Amino acid sequence: MGQCGITSSKTVLVFLNLIFWGAAGILCYVGAYVFITYDDYDHFFEDVYTLIPAVVIIAVGALLFIIGLIGCCATIRESHCGLATFIIILLLVFVTEVVAVVLGYVYRAKVENEVDRSIQKVYKTYNGTNPDAASRAIDYVQRQLHCCGIHNYSDWENTDWFKETKNQSVPLSCCRETASSCNGSLAHSSNLYAEGCEALVVKKLQEIMMHVIWAALAFAAIQLLGMLCACIVLCRRILF
C-alpha cells in the first residue's frame, strides 16, 4: 500500500515537473509582454519600479526550468538530498511569487496617480513631428486605444501645439478609422474619437499588471502541489 502511494506521488511529481517547464515559458512570456507594452506607454508612466513584478516573474520562470530538471532527476533517482533541495527551492520560489503578487497589487494601485501626473506633461510637449518621442507616443496611444486628448478632444485646445498651428484642428491620430475624410478639424467633431486617453491608458496598464498577478498566483498554486507531492515521496522514503 505504501509503495503504491509512493509510485502515485512520484508519477504526479514527474508530471508537475513537466508542467513547471511549460510554466517557465509562460512566465517568461508574460514578463516579456509587460516589458514590451511598458515600452509603448513609458512616456505616460515614469516609475520604472513598476517593472519589478515583471522582472521577478521572468527570474522565477528561469528558475522553474532548473527546478523542473532537479525535480525530475531527484524523483527518478529517489534521492533524499535531491528531493529536499527541490522542496527548499520550490518554497523559496513560492515566497518570491507571493512577493511579486503583493508588488503587483501595490503598483497597480499607483497607476492612476502616476499616469495623471505624467500625461499632462506629455501632451504639453507634443509638437506633431515624427522624430519627437513624446509626439510618437501620443499618436500611437490615440490610434491604438481609439481616444483623443486627456479627457476628450477639447483638451487639445489648451496645448501649445494647438495654439501655434492656429488651424482649429487636432492631430490626425484622433480621427476615427471609419472617417476617411477626417482632417482633425474640431468643426467636424463627429469624426473624432470622443473618449479621452487617460482613463484608457490607466485601464491598459492595470490590465497588464493583473496578467502578472494572475500568472504568479496560478503557478504558486502549482508549486504548492509540487511541494506537497515531493514531501510525500520524501517522507515515505524515509519512513518505509
Coordinates of all heavy atoms in Angstrom, one line a residue, residues 36-117:
I36 N 7.5 44.9 -23.1 CA 7.3 45.4 -24.5 C 6.1 46.4 -24.4 O 6.2 47.5 -25.0 CB 6.9 44.2 -25.4 CG1 8.1 43.4 -25.7 CG2 6.4 44.8 -26.8 CD1 7.8 42.1 -26.4
T37 N 5.1 46.1 -23.7 CA 4.0 47.0 -23.5 C 4.4 48.3 -22.8 O 4.0 49.4 -23.2 CB 2.8 46.4 -22.8 OG1 2.5 45.1 -23.5 CG2 1.5 47.2 -22.9
Y38 N 5.2 48.1 -21.8 CA 5.7 49.3 -21.0 C 6.4 50.2 -21.9 O 6.3 51.5 -21.8 CB 6.5 48.8 -19.8 CG 7.1 50.0 -19.1 CD1 6.4 50.6 -18.0 CD2 8.4 50.5 -19.4 CE1 6.9 51.7 -17.3 CE2 8.9 51.6 -18.7 CZ 8.2 52.2 -17.6 OH 8.7 53.2 -16.9
D39 N 7.2 49.7 -22.8 CA 8.0 50.5 -23.8 C 7.1 51.4 -24.6 O 7.4 52.5 -25.0 CB 8.8 49.6 -24.7 CG 9.8 50.3 -25.5 OD1 10.6 51.1 -24.9 OD2 9.8 50.2 -26.7
D40 N 5.8 50.9 -24.9 CA 4.9 51.7 -25.7 C 4.3 52.8 -24.9 O 3.8 53.8 -25.4 CB 3.8 50.7 -26.3 CG 4.3 49.7 -27.3 OD1 5.3 50.1 -28.0 OD2 3.7 48.6 -27.4
Y41 N 4.2 52.6 -23.6 CA 3.5 53.5 -22.7 C 4.4 54.2 -21.7 O 3.9 54.9 -20.8 CB 2.4 52.8 -22.0 CG 1.3 52.3 -22.8 CD1 1.3 51.0 -23.4 CD2 0.1 53.0 -23.1 CE1 0.3 50.5 -24.2 CE2 -0.9 52.6 -24.0 CZ -0.8 51.3 -24.5 OH -1.8 50.8 -25.3
D42 N 5.7 54.1 -21.9 CA 6.6 54.6 -20.9 C 6.6 56.1 -20.7 O 6.9 56.6 -19.6 CB 8.1 54.1 -21.2 CG 8.6 54.7 -22.5 OD1 7.8 55.2 -23.3 OD2 9.8 54.6 -22.7
H43 N 6.1 56.8 -21.7 CA 6.0 58.3 -21.5 C 4.9 58.7 -20.6 O 4.9 59.8 -20.0 CB 5.8 58.9 -22.9 CG 7.0 59.1 -23.7 ND1 7.5 58.0 -24.5 CD2 7.9 60.1 -23.9 CE1 8.6 58.4 -25.1 NE2 8.8 59.7 -24.7
F44 N 4.0 57.7 -20.4 CA 2.8 58.0 -19.5 C 3.0 57.4 -18.1 O 2.1 57.6 -17.3 CB 1.5 57.5 -20.1 CG 1.3 58.0 -21.5 CD1 1.6 57.2 -22.6 CD2 0.7 59.2 -21.7 CE1 1.4 57.7 -23.9 CE2 0.4 59.7 -23.0 CZ 0.8 59.0 -24.1
F45 N 4.1 56.8 -17.9 CA 4.3 56.1 -16.6 C 5.8 56.1 -16.3 O 6.6 55.3 -16.8 CB 3.8 54.7 -16.7 CG 3.5 54.1 -15.4 CD1 2.3 54.4 -14.8 CD2 4.4 53.3 -14.7 CE1 1.9 53.9 -13.5 CE2 4.0 52.8 -13.4 CZ 2.8 53.0 -12.9
E46 N 6.2 57.1 -15.5 CA 7.7 57.3 -15.3 C 8.3 56.4 -14.2 O 9.5 56.3 -14.1 CB 7.9 58.8 -14.9 CG 7.5 59.7 -16.0 CD 7.5 61.2 -15.5 OE1 7.8 61.4 -14.3 OE2 7.4 62.1 -16.4
D47 N 7.5 55.8 -13.4 CA 8.0 55.0 -12.3 C 8.5 53.6 -12.8 O 7.6 52.7 -13.0 CB 6.9 54.8 -11.2 CG 7.5 54.1 -9.9 OD1 8.7 53.7 -9.9 OD2 6.7 54.0 -9.0
V48 N 9.8 53.4 -13.0 CA 10.3 52.2 -13.6 C 10.2 51.0 -12.6 O 10.3 49.9 -13.0 CB 11.8 52.3 -14.0 CG1 11.9 53.3 -15.2 CG2 12.6 52.8 -12.9
Y49 N 10.0 51.3 -11.3 CA 9.8 50.3 -10.3 C 8.6 49.4 -10.5 O 8.5 48.3 -10.0 CB 9.8 50.9 -8.9 CG 11.1 51.6 -8.5 CD1 11.2 52.9 -8.4 CD2 12.2 50.8 -8.2 CE1 12.4 53.5 -8.0 CE2 13.4 51.4 -7.8 CZ 13.5 52.7 -7.7 OH 14.7 53.3 -7.4
T50 N 7.7 49.9 -11.4 CA 6.5 49.2 -11.7 C 6.9 47.9 -12.5 O 6.1 46.9 -12.5 CB 5.6 50.0 -12.7 OG1 5.4 51.3 -12.0 CG2 4.2 49.3 -12.8
L51 N 8.1 47.9 -13.0 CA 8.5 46.7 -13.8 C 9.1 45.6 -12.9 O 9.4 44.5 -13.3 CB 9.6 47.1 -14.8 CG 9.1 48.0 -16.0 CD1 10.3 48.4 -16.8 CD2 8.1 47.2 -16.8
I52 N 9.2 45.9 -11.6 CA 9.8 44.9 -10.7 C 9.0 43.6 -10.7 O 9.6 42.5 -10.8 CB 9.9 45.5 -9.2 CG1 11.0 46.6 -9.2 CG2 10.2 44.4 -8.2 CD1 11.1 47.3 -7.8
P53 N 7.7 43.6 -10.6 CA 6.9 42.3 -10.7 C 7.2 41.5 -11.9 O 7.4 40.3 -11.9 CB 5.5 42.7 -10.6 CG 5.5 44.1 -9.9 CD 6.7 44.7 -10.4
A54 N 7.4 42.2 -13.1 CA 7.7 41.6 -14.3 C 9.1 40.9 -14.3 O 9.3 39.8 -14.7 CB 7.6 42.5 -15.5
V55 N 10.1 41.7 -13.7 CA 11.4 41.1 -13.5 C 11.4 39.9 -12.7 O 12.1 38.9 -12.9 CB 12.4 42.2 -12.9 CG1 13.7 41.6 -12.6 CG2 12.5 43.4 -13.8
V56 N 10.6 40.0 -11.6 CA 10.5 38.8 -10.7 C 10.0 37.6 -11.3 O 10.6 36.5 -11.2 CB 9.6 39.2 -9.4 CG1 9.4 37.9 -8.6 CG2 10.3 40.3 -8.6
I57 N 8.9 37.7 -12.1 CA 8.3 36.5 -12.7 C 9.2 36.0 -13.9 O 9.2 34.8 -14.1 CB 6.9 36.7 -13.2 CG1 6.8 37.7 -14.4 CG2 6.0 37.1 -12.1 CD1 5.4 37.7 -15.0
I58 N 10.0 36.8 -14.5 CA 11.0 36.3 -15.5 C 12.0 35.5 -14.8 O 12.4 34.5 -15.3 CB 11.6 37.5 -16.3 CG1 10.5 38.1 -17.3 CG2 12.8 37.0 -17.1 CD1 11.0 39.3 -18.0
A59 N 12.5 36.0 -13.7 CA 13.5 35.3 -12.9 C 12.9 34.0 -12.4 O 13.6 33.0 -12.4 CB 14.0 36.2 -11.7
V60 N 11.7 34.0 -11.9 CA 11.0 32.8 -11.5 C 10.9 31.8 -12.6 O 11.1 30.6 -12.5 CB 9.6 33.1 -10.9 CG1 8.8 31.8 -10.7 CG2 9.8 33.8 -9.5
G61 N 10.5 32.3 -13.8 CA 10.4 31.5 -15.0 C 11.7 30.8 -15.3 O 11.8 29.6 -15.6
A62 N 12.8 31.5 -15.2 CA 14.2 30.9 -15.5 C 14.5 29.9 -14.4 O 15.0 28.8 -14.7 CB 15.2 32.0 -15.5
L63 N 14.1 30.1 -13.2 CA 14.4 29.2 -12.1 C 13.5 27.9 -12.2 O 14.0 26.8 -11.9 CB 14.1 29.8 -10.7 CG 15.2 30.7 -10.1 CD1 14.7 31.3 -8.8 CD2 16.4 29.8 -9.8
L64 N 12.3 28.1 -12.8 CA 11.4 26.9 -12.9 C 12.0 25.9 -13.9 O 11.8 24.7 -13.8 CB 10.1 27.3 -13.4 CG 9.1 27.9 -12.3 CD1 7.8 28.4 -12.9 CD2 8.9 26.9 -11.2
F65 N 12.8 26.3 -14.9 CA 13.5 25.4 -15.8 C 14.4 24.5 -15.0 O 14.5 23.3 -15.2 CB 14.3 26.2 -16.9 CG 13.4 26.6 -18.0 CD1 13.2 28.0 -18.3 CD2 12.9 25.7 -18.9 CE1 12.4 28.4 -19.3 CE2 12.1 26.1 -20.0 CZ 11.9 27.5 -20.2
I66 N 15.2 25.2 -14.1 CA 16.2 24.5 -13.3 C 15.5 23.6 -12.3 O 15.9 22.4 -12.1 CB 17.1 25.5 -12.6 CG1 17.8 26.3 -13.6 CG2 18.1 24.8 -11.7 CD1 18.6 27.5 -13.0
I67 N 14.4 24.1 -11.7 CA 13.6 23.3 -10.7 C 13.1 22.1 -11.3 O 13.1 21.0 -10.7 CB 12.5 24.2 -10.1 CG1 13.1 25.3 -9.2 CG2 11.5 23.3 -9.3 CD1 12.1 26.3 -8.8
G68 N 12.5 22.2 -12.5 CA 12.0 21.0 -13.2 C 13.0 20.0 -13.5 O 12.7 18.8 -13.3
L69 N 14.2 20.4 -13.8 CA 15.3 19.4 -14.1 C 15.7 18.7 -12.8 O 15.8 17.5 -12.7 CB 16.5 20.2 -14.7 CG 17.7 19.3 -15.0 CD1 17.4 18.3 -16.1 CD2 18.9 20.2 -15.5
I70 N 15.9 19.5 -11.7 CA 16.2 19.0 -10.4 C 15.1 18.0 -9.9 O 15.4 16.9 -9.4 CB 16.5 20.1 -9.3 CG1 17.7 20.9 -9.7 CG2 16.6 19.5 -7.9 CD1 17.9 22.1 -8.8
G71 N 13.9 18.4 -10.0 CA 12.8 17.6 -9.6 C 12.7 16.3 -10.3 O 12.5 15.2 -9.7
C72 N 12.8 16.3 -11.6 CA 12.8 15.1 -12.4 C 13.9 14.1 -12.0 O 13.7 12.9 -11.8 CB 12.8 15.4 -13.9 SG 11.3 15.9 -14.6
C73 N 15.1 14.6 -11.9 CA 16.3 13.8 -11.5 C 16.1 13.2 -10.1 O 16.3 12.0 -9.9 CB 17.6 14.6 -11.7 SG 18.0 15.1 -13.3
A74 N 15.7 14.1 -9.2 CA 15.6 13.6 -7.8 C 14.4 12.6 -7.6 O 14.6 11.7 -6.9 CB 15.3 14.8 -6.9
T75 N 13.3 12.8 -8.4 CA 12.2 11.9 -8.3 C 12.6 10.5 -8.9 O 12.3 9.5 -8.3 CB 11.0 12.5 -9.0 OG1 10.7 13.8 -8.5 CG2 9.8 11.6 -8.9
I76 N 13.2 10.5 -10.1 CA 13.5 9.3 -10.8 C 14.6 8.5 -10.0 O 14.5 7.3 -9.8 CB 14.0 9.6 -12.2 CG1 12.8 10.1 -13.0 CG2 14.5 8.3 -12.8 CD1 13.3 10.6 -14.4
R77 N 15.6 9.2 -9.4 CA 16.6 8.5 -8.7 C 16.2 8.3 -7.2 O 17.0 7.6 -6.5 CB 17.9 9.4 -8.7 CG 18.5 9.5 -10.1 CD 19.8 10.2 -10.0 NE 20.5 10.2 -11.3 CZ 21.8 10.7 -11.4 NH1 22.4 11.2 -10.4 NH2 22.3 10.7 -12.6
E78 N 15.1 8.9 -6.8 CA 14.6 8.8 -5.4 C 15.7 9.3 -4.4 O 15.9 8.6 -3.4 CB 14.2 7.3 -5.1 CG 13.1 6.8 -6.0 CD 12.7 5.4 -5.7 OE1 13.2 4.8 -4.7 OE2 11.8 4.9 -6.3
S79 N 16.3 10.4 -4.8 CA 17.4 10.9 -4.0 C 16.8 11.8 -2.8 O 16.1 12.7 -3.1 CB 18.3 11.8 -4.8 OG 19.1 12.6 -4.0
H80 N 17.1 11.4 -1.6 CA 16.6 12.2 -0.4 C 17.1 13.6 -0.5 O 16.4 14.6 -0.3 CB 17.1 11.5 0.9 CG 16.4 10.2 1.1 ND1 16.6 9.4 2.2 CD2 15.5 9.5 0.3 CE1 15.9 8.3 2.1 NE2 15.2 8.3 1.0
C81 N 18.4 13.7 -0.8 CA 19.1 15.1 -0.8 C 18.5 15.9 -1.9 O 18.2 17.1 -1.8 CB 20.6 14.9 -1.0 SG 21.5 16.5 -1.0
G82 N 18.3 15.3 -3.1 CA 17.7 16.0 -4.3 C 16.3 16.4 -4.0 O 16.0 17.6 -4.4
L83 N 15.5 15.6 -3.4 CA 14.1 15.9 -3.1 C 14.0 17.1 -2.1 O 13.2 18.0 -2.2 CB 13.3 14.7 -2.6 CG 12.9 13.7 -3.7 CD1 12.3 12.5 -3.1 CD2 11.9 14.3 -4.6
A84 N 14.9 17.0 -1.1 CA 14.9 18.0 -0.1 C 15.3 19.4 -0.7 O 14.7 20.4 -0.4 CB 15.9 17.6 1.1
T85 N 16.4 19.3 -1.6 CA 16.8 20.5 -2.3 C 15.6 21.1 -3.1 O 15.4 22.3 -3.2 CB 18.0 20.3 -3.2 OG1 19.0 19.7 -2.3 CG2 18.5 21.5 -3.9
F86 N 14.9 20.2 -3.8 CA 13.8 20.5 -4.7 C 12.7 21.3 -3.9 O 12.2 22.3 -4.3 CB 13.3 19.3 -5.3 CG 12.0 19.5 -6.1 CD1 12.1 20.2 -7.3 CD2 10.8 18.9 -5.7 CE1 11.0 20.3 -8.1 CE2 9.7 19.1 -6.5 CZ 9.8 19.8 -7.7
I87 N 12.4 20.7 -2.7 CA 11.4 21.3 -1.8 C 11.8 22.7 -1.3 O 11.0 23.6 -1.4 CB 11.1 20.4 -0.6 CG1 10.4 19.1 -1.1 CG2 10.2 21.1 0.4 CD1 10.3 18.0 0.0
I88 N 13.1 22.8 -0.9 CA 13.6 24.1 -0.4 C 13.5 25.2 -1.5 O 13.1 26.3 -1.3 CB 15.0 24.0 0.1 CG1 15.0 23.1 1.4 CG2 15.6 25.4 0.4 CD1 16.3 22.7 1.9
I89 N 14.0 24.8 -2.7 CA 14.0 25.8 -3.8 C 12.5 26.2 -4.2 O 12.2 27.3 -4.4 CB 14.7 25.2 -5.1 CG1 16.2 25.0 -4.7 CG2 14.6 26.2 -6.3 CD1 17.0 24.3 -5.9
L90 N 11.6 25.2 -4.2 CA 10.2 25.5 -4.5 C 9.6 26.4 -3.5 O 8.9 27.3 -3.8 CB 9.4 24.2 -4.5 CG 9.3 23.4 -5.9 CD1 8.3 22.3 -5.7 CD2 8.7 24.4 -7.0
L91 N 10.0 26.2 -2.2 CA 9.5 27.1 -1.2 C 10.0 28.5 -1.4 O 9.2 29.5 -1.2 CB 9.9 26.6 0.2 CG 9.5 27.3 1.4 CD1 7.9 27.4 1.5 CD2 10.0 26.7 2.7
L92 N 11.3 28.7 -1.7 CA 11.8 30.0 -1.9 C 11.2 30.7 -3.1 O 10.9 31.9 -3.1 CB 13.4 29.9 -2.2 CG 14.2 29.5 -0.9 CD1 15.6 29.3 -1.3 CD2 14.1 30.5 0.2
V93 N 11.0 29.9 -4.2 CA 10.3 30.5 -5.4 C 8.9 30.9 -5.1 O 8.4 31.9 -5.6 CB 10.4 29.5 -6.6 CG1 9.6 30.0 -7.8 CG2 11.9 29.3 -7.0
F94 N 8.2 30.0 -4.3 CA 6.8 30.3 -3.9 C 6.8 31.7 -3.2 O 5.9 32.5 -3.4 CB 6.3 29.2 -3.0 CG 4.9 29.5 -2.4 CD1 3.8 29.3 -3.2 CD2 4.8 29.9 -1.1 CE1 2.5 29.6 -2.7 CE2 3.5 30.1 -0.6 CZ 2.4 30.0 -1.4
V95 N 7.7 31.9 -2.2 CA 7.7 33.1 -1.5 C 8.0 34.3 -2.4 O 7.4 35.4 -2.3 CB 8.8 33.1 -0.4 CG1 9.0 34.4 0.2 CG2 8.5 32.0 0.7
T96 N 8.9 34.1 -3.4 CA 9.2 35.1 -4.4 C 7.9 35.5 -5.2 O 7.7 36.7 -5.5 CB 10.3 34.6 -5.4 OG1 11.4 34.3 -4.6 CG2 10.7 35.7 -6.3
E97 N 7.1 34.5 -5.6 CA 5.9 34.7 -6.3 C 4.9 35.5 -5.5 O 4.2 36.3 -6.0 CB 5.4 33.4 -6.9 CG 6.2 32.9 -8.0 CD 5.5 31.6 -8.6 OE1 4.9 30.8 -7.9 OE2 5.7 31.4 -9.8
V98 N 4.8 35.2 -4.2 CA 3.9 35.9 -3.3 C 4.3 37.4 -3.3 O 3.5 38.3 -3.3 CB 3.9 35.3 -1.9 CG1 3.2 36.2 -0.9 CG2 3.3 33.9 -1.9
V99 N 5.7 37.6 -3.2 CA 6.2 39.0 -3.2 C 5.8 39.7 -4.5 O 5.4 40.8 -4.5 CB 7.7 39.0 -3.1 CG1 8.3 40.4 -3.3 CG2 8.1 38.5 -1.7
A100 N 5.9 38.9 -5.7 CA 5.5 39.5 -7.0 C 4.0 39.9 -7.0 O 3.7 40.9 -7.5 CB 5.8 38.5 -8.1
V101 N 3.2 39.1 -6.4 CA 1.7 39.4 -6.3 C 1.5 40.6 -5.5 O 0.7 41.5 -5.9 CB 1.0 38.2 -5.7 CG1 -0.5 38.5 -5.4 CG2 1.0 37.0 -6.7
V102 N 2.1 40.7 -4.4 CA 2.0 41.9 -3.5 C 2.4 43.1 -4.2 O 1.7 44.2 -4.2 CB 2.7 41.7 -2.2 CG1 2.7 43.0 -1.3 CG2 2.2 40.5 -1.4
L103 N 3.6 43.1 -4.8 CA 4.1 44.2 -5.5 C 3.2 44.6 -6.7 O 3.0 45.8 -7.0 CB 5.5 44.0 -6.1 CG 6.7 43.9 -5.0 CD1 8.0 43.5 -5.7 CD2 6.8 45.3 -4.4
G104 N 2.7 43.6 -7.4 CA 1.7 43.8 -8.5 C 0.5 44.6 -8.0 O 0.1 45.6 -8.7
Y105 N 0.0 44.2 -6.9 CA -1.2 45.0 -6.3 C -0.8 46.4 -5.9 O -1.6 47.3 -6.1 CB -1.8 44.2 -5.1 CG -2.8 43.2 -5.5 CD1 -2.6 41.8 -5.4 CD2 -4.1 43.6 -6.0 CE1 -3.5 40.9 -5.8 CE2 -5.0 42.7 -6.4 CZ -4.8 41.3 -6.3 OH -5.7 40.4 -6.7
V106 N 0.4 46.5 -5.3 CA 0.8 47.8 -4.8 C 1.0 48.8 -6.0 O 0.5 49.9 -6.0 CB 2.2 47.7 -4.1 CG1 2.8 49.1 -3.8 CG2 1.9 47.0 -2.7
Y107 N 1.7 48.3 -7.1 CA 1.9 49.2 -8.2 C 0.7 49.4 -9.1 O 0.5 50.4 -9.7 CB 3.1 48.7 -9.0 CG 4.4 48.9 -8.3 CD1 5.2 47.8 -8.0 CD2 4.9 50.2 -8.0 CE1 6.4 48.0 -7.3 CE2 6.1 50.4 -7.4 CZ 6.9 49.3 -7.0 OH 8.1 49.5 -6.4
R108 N -0.2 48.4 -9.0 CA -1.5 48.6 -9.8 C -2.3 49.7 -9.2 O -2.9 50.5 -9.9 CB -2.3 47.3 -9.7 CG -3.5 47.3 -10.5 CD -4.2 45.9 -10.5 NE -5.4 45.9 -11.3 CZ -6.6 46.3 -10.9 NH1 -6.8 46.7 -9.6 NH2 -7.7 46.3 -11.7
A109 N -2.2 49.9 -7.9 CA -2.9 50.9 -7.2 C -2.3 52.3 -7.5 O -3.0 53.3 -7.4 CB -3.0 50.7 -5.7
K110 N -1.0 52.3 -7.8 CA -0.3 53.6 -8.1 C -0.5 54.1 -9.5 O -0.1 55.2 -9.8 CB 1.2 53.4 -7.8 CG 1.5 53.3 -6.3 CD 3.0 53.2 -6.1 CE 3.4 53.1 -4.7 NZ 4.9 53.1 -4.5
V111 N -1.0 53.2 -10.4 CA -1.0 53.5 -11.8 C -1.8 54.8 -12.1 O -1.3 55.7 -12.8 CB -1.6 52.3 -12.6 CG1 -2.0 52.8 -14.0 CG2 -0.6 51.2 -12.7
E112 N -2.9 54.9 -11.5 CA -3.8 56.1 -11.8 C -3.1 57.4 -11.5 O -3.1 58.3 -12.3 CB -5.1 56.0 -11.1 CG -6.2 57.0 -11.6 CD -7.6 56.7 -11.0 OE1 -7.8 55.7 -10.4 OE2 -8.4 57.6 -11.2
N113 N -2.5 57.5 -10.3 CA -1.9 58.8 -9.9 C -0.7 59.0 -10.8 O -0.4 60.2 -11.2 CB -1.5 58.7 -8.5 CG -2.6 58.8 -7.5 OD1 -3.7 59.3 -7.9 ND2 -2.5 58.2 -6.3
E114 N 0.1 58.0 -11.1 CA 1.3 58.1 -11.9 C 0.9 58.6 -13.4 O 1.6 59.5 -13.9 CB 2.0 56.8 -12.0 CG 3.3 56.8 -12.7 CD 4.4 57.5 -11.9 OE1 4.3 57.5 -10.6 OE2 5.4 58.1 -12.5
V115 N -0.1 58.0 -14.0 CA -0.5 58.4 -15.3 C -1.0 59.8 -15.3 O -0.7 60.6 -16.2 CB -1.6 57.4 -15.9 CG1 -2.1 58.0 -17.2 CG2 -0.9 56.1 -16.1
D116 N -1.8 60.2 -14.3 CA -2.4 61.5 -14.2 C -1.3 62.6 -14.1 O -1.4 63.7 -14.7 CB -3.3 61.6 -12.9 CG -4.0 63.0 -12.8 OD1 -4.7 63.3 -13.8 OD2 -3.8 63.6 -11.8
R117 N -0.2 62.3 -13.4 CA 0.9 63.2 -13.3 C 1.7 63.3 -14.6 O 2.1 64.4 -15.0 CB 1.8 62.8 -12.1 CG 2.9 63.8 -11.9 CD 3.7 63.5 -10.6 NE 4.4 62.2 -10.7 CZ 4.1 61.1 -10.0 NH1 3.0 61.1 -9.2 NH2 4.8 60.0 -10.1

